[in-house]
Amino acid sequence: MSAPPAPLRIVLVDDERMVRTALRAILSSEPDLEVVGEAGTGAEAVPLVRELRPDVVLMDVRMPDVDGIRATERILGTGSEPPRVIVVTTFENDAYVYDALRAGASGFLLKRSRAEDLVQAVRLVARSDSLLFPAAVRALAAEHAGARAPERNAAARALHDRLSEREAAVLRLMADGLSNSEIAARMAVGPATVKTHVGAVLTKLGVRDRTQAVIAAYESGFVTPG
């Protein structure tokens, strides 16, 4: 019998100790999840993550000194295999959240989320074959992306020119929030083919996961709200 996979390693970053304690209690109760460290500020988080090399970081977005956006940039800017970052926030339409996603966070989670949603979010982001809360991510992108791309027509053409016809179709379905299996069903191809197309899209856009691909699609005007 093969050994079970190692638990996902998680670091918690929040300036409120009670929040970290609650998150630790929820996550540590799951056999496939392990909280390996905590930090109370973004400045503390960066060297801690470099030392512990977790799979996932839960990052408060609003903190004194170094906020979650800057901490996310620094964490993802170092190391060949940086962790996935989930921003933990109070308000889902906060511009800070969108800036954190643009900085490289793989998704966000509301502090009032249910325990089961928290656990599922960590597993989903670690697996990275679907957007975390796709409707909310699309709503944020639609609200904030327009002001960021004044040359949207040219940017959309440039993005489209980098992709094959199949890759462009996959990116549009990713932006609609579909998972790999849902894209495979929609396009009548195998999951392995979709995984290959998704990997090609990420490489050609120069992004590390599908969340950043969706942000790029909206900001360029390749995908438009509605």
Side-chain angles (χ1 to χ4, degrees), residues 56-134:
V56 178
V57 177
L58 290 181
M59 177 77 70
D60 186 19
V61 70
R62 291 180 179 267
M63 292 181 289
D65 189 15
V66 177
D67 64 22
I69 300 168
R70 303 285 85 78
T72 295
E73 289 177 337
R74 294 176 188 178
I75 286 170
L76 298 182
T78 58
S80 58
E81 295 185 10
R84 306 285 179 180
V85 176
I86 301 176
V87 170
V88 183
T89 181
T90 303
F91 306 106
E92 64 185 272
N93 61 349
D94 193 336
Y96 273 76
V97 175
Y98 186 72
D99 286 339
L101 295 179
R102 294 182 80 244
S106 295
F108 70 92
L109 192 69
L110 296 179
K111 289 189 175 182
R112 63 177 182 273
S113 296
R114 300 175 302 171
E116 53 266 37
D117 290 336
L118 169 64
V119 169
Q120 179 62 18
V122 171
R123 292 171 177 153
L124 182 64
V125 164
R127 192 169 65 238
S128 192
D129 63 358
S130 183
L131 284 178
L132 176 58
F133 306 131

Side-chain angles (χ1 to χ4, degrees), residues 6-83:
L8 292 173
R9 294 164 53 83
I10 304 162
V11 164
L12 308 176
V13 185
D14 197 293
D15 60 345
E16 295 186 35
R17 182 182 295 273
M18 290 182 63
V19 172
R20 299 199 308 270
T21 299
L23 292 174
R24 177 182 281 273
I26 293 168
L27 296 169
S28 297
S29 66
E30 300 294 324
D32 61 329
L33 306 178
E34 178 185 7
V35 177
V36 296
E38 298 182 17
T41 69
E44 293 174 2
V46 177
L48 183 67
V49 169
R50 289 173 182 165
E51 175 189 353
L52 297 178
R53 299 178 62 85
D55 299 296
V56 178
V57 177
L58 290 181
M59 177 77 70
D60 186 19
V61 70
R62 291 180 179 267
M63 292 181 289
D65 189 15
V66 177
D67 64 22
I69 300 168
R70 303 285 85 78
T72 295
E73 289 177 337
R74 294 176 188 178
I75 286 170
L76 298 182
T78 58
S80 58
E81 295 185 10

Side-chain angles (χ1 to χ4, degrees), residues 145 149 151-176 201 205 213-225:
E151 306 292 337
R152 291 172 67 81
N153 290 336
R157 286 195 299 271
L159 189 153
H160 190 280
D161 289 345
R162 277 181 268 171
L163 305 176
S164 70
E165 183 177 340
R166 274 297 179 94
E167 290 162 359
V170 166
L171 178 55
R172 290 190 178 93
L173 293 174
M174 288 166 60
D176 283 341
V201 169
L205 298 187
V214 170
I215 296 297
Y218 272 97
E219 291 204 335
S220 67
F222 179 80
V223 173
T224 54

